[in-house]
Amino acid sequence: QVQLVESGGGSVQAGGSLTLSCAQSGYTYSSRCMGWFRQALGKEREGVASIDCDDSTSYTDSVKDRFTISKDNAKNTLYLQMNSLKPEDTAMYYCAATATRAKTGLFWARKEVYSYWGQGTQVTVSS
């Protein structure tokens, strides 16, 4: 059974940094396309960043040059390094994985292309 478990969230002041981790089990990690999503209170879940099945990366505009997505295949772990955090980055952050090795491509930020989700980790940024 596929399991995704996020960690690393917390409360920081604006300008600070956090690194989120997503530990994976139950499938061949390196063959999946992975993504980070976030959901702020009262808002839709949105795609933040992805590592596609060909290891290409994508970011939503609001986090470009501040966030970095990466993975460690040996540790079966996905990361999201978040720098220069802003209050508007406050949200529950989720990692997600696809069920196949088909590239997500331009659809990387669509929730429906991912079959597996973690339980989320809260990030709160104060001004």
Short mmCIF file of all heavy atoms in Angstrom, two decimals, residues 4-5 12 23 35-36 40 46 57 72 85-86 92 95-96 100 105 110 117:
data_model
loop_
_atom_site.label_atom_id
_atom_site.label_comp_id
_atom_site.label_asym_id
_atom_site.label_seq_id
_atom_site.Cartn_x
_atom_site.Cartn_y
_atom_site.Cartn_z
N LEU A 4 2.39 8.13 1.86
CA LEU A 4 3.17 9.35 1.79
C LEU A 4 3.00 10.07 3.12
O LEU A 4 1.87 10.32 3.54
CB LEU A 4 2.68 10.25 0.66
CG LEU A 4 2.62 9.65 -0.74
CD1 LEU A 4 2.01 10.65 -1.72
CD2 LEU A 4 4.00 9.24 -1.21
N VAL A 5 4.10 10.41 3.76
CA VAL A 5 4.04 11.05 5.06
C VAL A 5 4.89 12.31 5.04
O VAL A 5 6.12 12.24 4.92
CB VAL A 5 4.52 10.10 6.18
CG1 VAL A 5 4.45 10.81 7.53
CG2 VAL A 5 3.69 8.83 6.20
N VAL A 12 7.08 30.15 11.17
CA VAL A 12 8.28 30.97 10.98
C VAL A 12 7.85 32.40 10.71
O VAL A 12 6.70 32.66 10.33
CB VAL A 12 9.15 30.46 9.81
CG1 VAL A 12 9.71 29.09 10.12
CG2 VAL A 12 8.38 30.47 8.51
N ALA A 23 8.16 11.31 3.06
CA ALA A 23 8.69 9.94 3.05
C ALA A 23 7.68 9.02 2.39
O ALA A 23 6.48 9.08 2.70
CB ALA A 23 8.95 9.49 4.48
N GLY A 35 4.64 15.65 -6.68
CA GLY A 35 4.34 17.07 -6.59
C GLY A 35 4.08 17.52 -5.17
O GLY A 35 3.78 16.70 -4.29
N TRP A 36 4.22 18.80 -4.96
CA TRP A 36 3.82 19.45 -3.72
C TRP A 36 2.64 20.37 -4.02
O TRP A 36 2.69 21.14 -4.99
CB TRP A 36 4.96 20.27 -3.13
CG TRP A 36 6.02 19.48 -2.44
CD1 TRP A 36 7.23 19.13 -2.94
CD2 TRP A 36 5.97 18.94 -1.12
NE1 TRP A 36 7.94 18.40 -2.02
CE2 TRP A 36 7.19 18.28 -0.89
CE3 TRP A 36 5.02 18.95 -0.10
CZ2 TRP A 36 7.49 17.63 0.32
CZ3 TRP A 36 5.31 18.32 1.09
CH2 TRP A 36 6.52 17.66 1.30
N ALA A 40 -4.62 26.82 1.40
CA ALA A 40 -4.84 27.81 2.44
C ALA A 40 -6.30 27.76 2.88
O ALA A 40 -7.17 27.27 2.14
CB ALA A 40 -4.49 29.20 1.92
N GLU A 46 -3.77 24.11 -4.47
CA GLU A 46 -3.03 24.52 -5.66
C GLU A 46 -1.68 23.83 -5.75
O GLU A 46 -1.05 23.52 -4.73
CB GLU A 46 -2.81 26.05 -5.65
CG GLU A 46 -1.94 26.56 -4.53
CD GLU A 46 -1.51 28.01 -4.70
OE1 GLU A 46 -1.68 28.56 -5.81
OE2 GLU A 46 -0.97 28.58 -3.73
N THR A 57 11.55 19.74 -13.49
CA THR A 57 10.84 20.39 -12.39
C THR A 57 9.99 21.54 -12.90
O THR A 57 10.30 22.16 -13.93
CB THR A 57 11.83 20.92 -11.34
OG1 THR A 57 12.74 21.82 -11.96
CG2 THR A 57 12.61 19.78 -10.70
N ASP A 72 15.49 12.39 -3.04
CA ASP A 72 16.60 11.50 -2.74
C ASP A 72 16.08 10.09 -2.96
O ASP A 72 15.34 9.56 -2.10
CB ASP A 72 17.09 11.71 -1.31
CG ASP A 72 18.33 10.89 -0.98
OD1 ASP A 72 18.50 9.81 -1.56
OD2 ASP A 72 19.10 11.33 -0.12
N LEU A 85 10.22 33.03 2.93
CA LEU A 85 8.80 32.77 3.11
C LEU A 85 8.02 34.04 3.35
O LEU A 85 8.50 34.99 3.99
CB LEU A 85 8.60 31.78 4.25
CG LEU A 85 8.90 30.32 3.88
CD1 LEU A 85 9.12 29.47 5.12
CD2 LEU A 85 7.78 29.74 3.02
N LYS A 86 6.80 34.04 2.84
CA LYS A 86 5.89 35.17 2.96
C LYS A 86 4.62 34.73 3.67
O LYS A 86 4.26 33.55 3.63
CB LYS A 86 5.54 35.70 1.56
CG LYS A 86 6.73 36.09 0.71
CD LYS A 86 6.28 36.49 -0.69
CE LYS A 86 7.48 36.86 -1.57
NZ LYS A 86 7.05 37.26 -2.93
N MET A 92 -1.68 24.47 4.41
CA MET A 92 -1.35 23.06 4.62
C MET A 92 -0.68 22.59 3.34
O MET A 92 -1.21 22.80 2.25
CB MET A 92 -2.60 22.25 4.89
CG MET A 92 -2.34 20.80 5.27
SD MET A 92 -1.65 20.61 6.90
CE MET A 92 -3.15 20.76 7.89
N CYS A 95 2.16 16.40 -0.17
CA CYS A 95 2.88 15.81 -1.28
C CYS A 95 1.95 14.81 -1.97
O CYS A 95 1.00 14.29 -1.36
CB CYS A 95 4.18 15.16 -0.86
SG CYS A 95 4.05 13.64 0.08
N ALA A 96 2.22 14.59 -3.24
CA ALA A 96 1.36 13.74 -4.05
C ALA A 96 2.20 12.95 -5.03
O ALA A 96 3.28 13.39 -5.43
CB ALA A 96 0.34 14.58 -4.79
N THR A 100 1.21 6.06 -12.20
CA THR A 100 1.94 5.49 -13.33
C THR A 100 3.18 6.33 -13.59
O THR A 100 3.42 7.33 -12.93
CB THR A 100 1.07 5.48 -14.59
OG1 THR A 100 0.91 6.83 -15.05
CG2 THR A 100 -0.29 4.88 -14.32
N GLY A 105 3.67 16.50 -17.41
CA GLY A 105 3.86 17.60 -18.34
C GLY A 105 3.18 18.87 -17.90
O GLY A 105 3.31 19.32 -16.76
N ARG A 110 -2.43 19.93 -11.72
CA ARG A 110 -3.83 19.48 -11.60
C ARG A 110 -3.91 18.35 -10.58
O ARG A 110 -3.23 17.33 -10.71
CB ARG A 110 -4.36 19.01 -12.94
CG ARG A 110 -4.48 20.12 -13.96
CD ARG A 110 -5.29 19.67 -15.15
NE ARG A 110 -5.44 20.74 -16.14
CZ ARG A 110 -6.16 20.62 -17.25
NH1 ARG A 110 -6.79 19.48 -17.50
NH2 ARG A 110 -6.25 21.61 -18.09
N TRP A 117 -1.83 10.72 -1.92
CA TRP A 117 -1.65 11.96 -1.19
C TRP A 117 -1.23 11.67 0.25
O TRP A 117 -1.67 10.69 0.86
CB TRP A 117 -2.96 12.76 -1.17
CG TRP A 117 -3.36 13.25 -2.51
CD1 TRP A 117 -4.05 12.56 -3.48
CD2 TRP A 117 -3.09 14.53 -3.06
NE1 TRP A 117 -4.22 13.34 -4.59
CE2 TRP A 117 -3.65 14.56 -4.37
CE3 TRP A 117 -2.44 15.68 -2.60
CZ2 TRP A 117 -3.56 15.69 -5.19
CZ3 TRP A 117 -2.36 16.79 -3.41
CH2 TRP A 117 -2.92 16.78 -4.69
#
